[in-house]
Amino acid sequence: MSSVREAPDILSPQFGADPYAAYRVLREDFPLLWHEATGSYIVSRHEDVQEAFRSEAFTTRNYDWQLEPVHGRTLVQMSGREHAVRRALVAPAFRGRMLEEKFLPVIEDNARELIAPLRDAGTADLVGDFATHFPINVIVDMLGLDKSEHPRFHAWYTAIVAYFSNLSQDPEVAAAGHRTRDELAAYMIPVIRERRENPGDDLLSTLCAAEIDGERMSDEDIKAFISLLFAAGGETTDKAVSGIFGNLLRHPEQLAAVRDDRGLIPQALAETLRYTPPVHMIIRETSEDVEVSGGVIPGGSTVNCLIGAANRDAARFENPDSFDIFRTDLPARTSFSAAAGHLAFALGRHFCVGALLAKAEVEVAVGQLLDAMPELRLREGCTPVEEGIFTRGLTSLPVLFTPATRGAVP
């Protein structure tokens, strides 16, 4: 007689240590699970998470309590015309000519600045020395803020990410998030007002000037979007950069292939977003009763959509627990659009507006790091460790490489 497996607890230490084993149990035995501690339903199969992102029955009302207390009212909470207009106001800054001509040089400069002191060392921690700082520095510079503010924004970013990952409702984490909201507003609102009066050639000026059908964003709208940009844009890119290297370093033959052919970087990123996504869980709220695998979710329910589980669903991907940049069921050409097979950027009307910015940042970071770090390899005895439940990534990634000065011609 086969034994009945116990439902995994997403707040347990065992889940935190290895969610992938728990995801398998959830998909197979508990595709719809009520989680008492968080007062929410959990869905884990690809078809159900995909439907949650696409269906109008799954709303983003949850962000009223999950994000608004720390960000203010943001794009991700909106729906209908309000959402369409706000998205149309900000989206052009993160794609096409504006991204390539105005902001790509900012990305390249920031990568060079962070890598420069590492080139001669022969060793580095790709998380602490590069990944956690890179996207925040990029956003600060894109906004046209002073480079001296990099550390301040990095501290705010850390507090905001901790706030919306606070499933256990730690009061100290919540208090730090609220302080950050107030500090960020006190800093940004005067800067926004000054930039309206004296616009420059930067992202903040672009947001201040953006207009559609006579509508512009208010100072509070812009502040809230910037707060969200630091949290969502910083966290995903931070963990994507370290994740792609963590995965490639554990698969040396694939790392060698990417080093030889930089055109494989988008495919390696797409596979990283599937295999070890930066965001493992996105919450939605149902507006009506919804049927999913395993039963019915009542209207008005909070739903935890497990991206990390859906992206390893054998019903969608062949050999889902294998990292393979050459897989044929995840084409790179669609992996950074709303037609993506992986669910790391969500789908539907709330597909990540910064997906192409993240792609550009990772491509630049990977290319420059590979150029600067010949014979890149994990430090001996190092076993990279992931942490996180809501968002998840490597805590450190110690590497060795051949210093730039070795073998240089006198």
Side-chain angles (χ1 to χ4, degrees):
M1 178 182 295
S2 62
S3 60
V4 177
R5 291 187 285 189
E6 184 178 349
D9 178 4
I10 61 173
L11 297 182
S12 70
Q14 295 81 5
F15 183 92
D18 181 15
Y20 301 106
Y23 291 156
R24 190 177 306 112
V25 176
L26 287 168
R27 286 192 307 266
E28 293 175 0
D29 296 349
F30 305 96
L32 176 62
L33 178 68
W34 168 253
H35 188 252
E36 185 69 34
T38 57
S40 64
Y41 288 89
I42 297 173
V43 294
S44 50
R45 291 180 178 173
H46 190 280
E47 63 176 334
D48 293 328
V49 176
Q50 178 177 259
E51 180 65 13
F53 292 156
R54 287 178 170 170
S55 172
E56 296 290 335
F58 290 85
T59 74
T60 57
R61 293 173 188 162
N62 52 284
Y63 290 135
D64 293 351
W65 53 263
Q66 189 187 10
L67 294 184
E68 187 165 344
V70 71
H71 287 309
R73 183 169 171 78
T74 65
L75 178 68
V76 295
Q77 295 166 252
M78 301 173 185
S79 59
R81 185 180 183 278
E82 181 186 29
H83 175 267
V85 170
R86 290 298 185 278
R87 187 177 178 97
L89 285 168
V90 302
F94 299 96
R95 66 189 184 207
R97 289 183 60 187
M98 188 168 292
L99 174 58
E100 293 175 7
E101 297 178 5
K102 185 176 292 187
F103 299 132
L104 186 58
V106 175
I107 296 170
E108 293 169 339
D109 288 346
N110 273 281
R112 277 191 292 269
E113 289 172 9
L114 284 170
I115 292 170
L118 307 177
R119 298 176 67 93
D120 295 333
T123 183
D125 177 357
L126 293 185
V127 174
D129 293 332
F130 185 86
T132 61
H133 300 283
F134 175 56
I136 302 306
N137 293 2
V138 166
I139 294 171
V140 168
D141 292 359
M142 286 175 62
L143 289 167
L145 304 176
D146 195 287
K147 285 182 176 291
S148 66
E149 302 292 358
H150 286 171
R152 189 203 301 246
F153 276 93
H154 189 269
W156 285 338
Y157 149 71
T158 302
I160 292 171
V161 169
Y163 181 92
F164 69 67
S165 301
N166 189 23
L167 291 177
S168 62
Q169 296 300 299
D170 184 317
E172 292 186 7
V173 172
H178 294 152
R179 285 196 303 272
T180 295
R181 171 199 60 203
D182 296 340
E183 290 171 4
L184 181 63
Y187 178 91
M188 283 305 311
I189 294 297
V191 176
I192 292 168
R193 290 171 179 167
E194 190 279 332
R195 204 63 56 89
R196 287 194 192 278
E197 295 295 324
N198 301 288
D201 188 28
D202 54 67
L203 175 59
L204 182 54
S205 297
T206 299
L207 295 174
C208 289
E211 181 177 342
I212 291 182
D213 297 334
E215 288 195 35
R216 290 189 174 190
M217 288 189 288
S218 68
D219 294 351
E220 177 60 28
D221 289 337
I222 294 173
K223 186 275 297 179
F225 179 74
I226 289 170
S227 179
L228 181 65
L229 178 62
F230 275 107
E235 181 76 346
T236 53
T237 306
D238 168 354
K239 288 176 166 51
V241 170
S242 59
I244 193 172
F245 274 105
N247 290 327
L248 290 173
L249 285 162
R250 283 174 285 193
H251 298 82
E253 72 291 348
Q254 297 186 52
L255 174 59
V258 173
R259 184 182 287 283
D260 291 342
D261 180 3
R262 304 303 169 83
L264 290 173
I265 295 175
Q267 188 60 49
L269 174 57
E271 177 64 348
T272 291
L273 293 173
R274 183 200 70 82
Y275 186 69
T276 51
V279 179
H280 274 231
M281 184 186 307
I282 286 181
I283 297 176
R284 290 289 187 261
E285 184 176 309
T286 53
S287 61
E288 59 190 59
D289 292 358
V290 181
E291 185 174 350
V292 297
S293 299
V296 174
I297 302 174
S301 298
T302 299
V303 185
N304 285 307
C305 306
L306 299 187
I307 293 171
N311 278 353
R312 294 211 187 183
D313 192 337
R316 174 61 180 81
F317 298 103
E318 186 176 355
N319 299 319
D321 292 319
S322 296
F323 179 79
D324 180 8
I325 66 173
F326 300 106
R327 65 170 54 249
T328 58
D329 51 8
L330 188 68
R333 58 184 172 78
T334 58
S335 287
F336 307 95
S337 72
H342 67 79
L343 301 175
F345 290 130
L347 290 173
R349 65 188 182 281
H350 288 291
F351 177 80
C352 177
V353 72
L356 292 178
L357 172 63
K359 176 176 179 284
E361 288 178 297
V362 174
E363 286 182 324
V364 168
V366 172
Q368 289 198 24
L369 285 165
L370 288 177
D371 288 341
M373 298 179 174
E375 300 179 317
L376 183 67
R377 59 203 182 277
L378 283 171
R379 188 180 298 167
E380 187 175 352
C382 169
T383 302
V385 175
E386 289 184 357
E387 285 186 358
I389 298 173
F390 193 91
T391 62
R392 187 173 180 86
L394 296 174
T395 56
S396 66
L397 190 59
V399 296
L400 300 174
F401 55 92
T402 302
T405 52
R406 183 176 296 176
V409 177

